[in-house]
Amino acid sequence: MEAGDSSWQAVPPAARPRRARPVWPLAAATLAVAVLVAAPALAASPPWLDRLSRTVTGGPLAPAHAVALGPALALLARGVLLRRRAAWYGLVVVIVLAVLAVLTGDDAAWRLPLLAAALGGLWLERDRFAVRPHPDRVRAAVKTGALLVVAAVAGSLAFGGVSIRSVGQVAAGLGATGAPMDGAPWLPDVLGLAGAAGLLVLVVTLLSPD
């Protein structure tokens, strides 16, 4: 036996460097969810795909929401593969929003244990995502999000027929939730597209290499 092998065996197991566990299974699962979210909104899909998509989303998504969320999740899958902390945060936010939808009665209660298990699993794996975004990119993302909200509110008040009392509905419109809102009939579609574009810009900003 070579000297290098015997010296390695002399090192206690607890002191040996641990090989990082692969993150590709989580990335693959995230990409699969992205496909299931976006596919029914992009083209006519078979009934089994619709049922599988409903299992993932909990309910029908507005087309603009699905088209935005699908690519955003695909980008998060790539970020997971690169062990970026921003991708981990993104997945946590998506699951937390789904949990809130269940708690407010907008989603089926049977999904709560599944979502809680997914959230707990992500929390246990948080140390595997050590690549943090540069502070400049975090600041740029915050500024972009704030500018989008301000522009959406101002435009809705000036051109969309939204009253001051209904300003809160603009946030739902940016999320493309499909909830009814006051104002011009074209406003929900415009807000949904603006929210979709803003979501993709935020994800790209946070996940881009430094």
Side-chain angles (χ1 to χ4, degrees):
M1 182 176 294
E2 298 179 359
D5 294 337
S6 60
S7 62
W8 173 256
Q9 291 177 357
V11 178
R16 297 176 185 175
R18 295 182 178 179
R19 182 177 298 177
R21 294 195 302 276
V23 294
W24 68 262
L26 179 58
T30 304
L31 184 59
V33 171
V35 172
L36 290 174
V37 166
L42 295 176
S45 55
W48 66 266
L49 183 58
D50 287 336
R51 289 193 296 269
L52 193 57
S53 178
R54 295 287 183 91
T55 302
V56 171
T57 62
L61 296 177
H65 192 188
V67 171
L69 188 57
L73 285 170
L75 291 173
L76 288 180
R78 180 177 181 274
V80 168
L81 203 58
L82 297 175
R83 298 179 182 271
R84 295 189 179 276
R85 180 57 67 94
W88 182 86
Y89 280 126
L91 292 179
V92 169
V93 168
V94 170
I95 296 176
V96 167
L97 291 177
V99 169
L100 291 177
V102 173
L103 295 179
T104 56
D106 294 331
D107 204 346
W110 63 264
R111 284 168 46 82
L112 187 58
L114 299 178
L115 293 171
L119 192 60
L122 279 178
W123 178 257
L124 293 176
E125 300 296 334
R126 64 190 182 280
D127 293 335
R128 298 166 66 184
F129 301 91
V131 183
R132 298 180 180 274
H134 193 278
D136 290 342
R137 293 200 174 276
V138 176
R139 286 191 288 268
V142 171
K143 290 179 181 178
T144 301
L147 181 62
L148 173 64
V149 173
V150 170
V153 170
S156 299
L157 290 174
F159 308 106
V162 175
S163 64
I164 294 292
R165 296 180 179 179
S166 302
V167 165
Q169 297 177 350
V170 175
L174 287 173
T177 60
M181 61 182 302
D182 298 333
W186 50 263
L187 185 60
D189 291 335
V190 171
L191 288 177
L193 291 175
L199 175 63
L200 291 177
V201 169
L202 291 176
V203 172
V204 170
T205 300
L206 289 172
L207 295 180
S208 296
D210 298 333

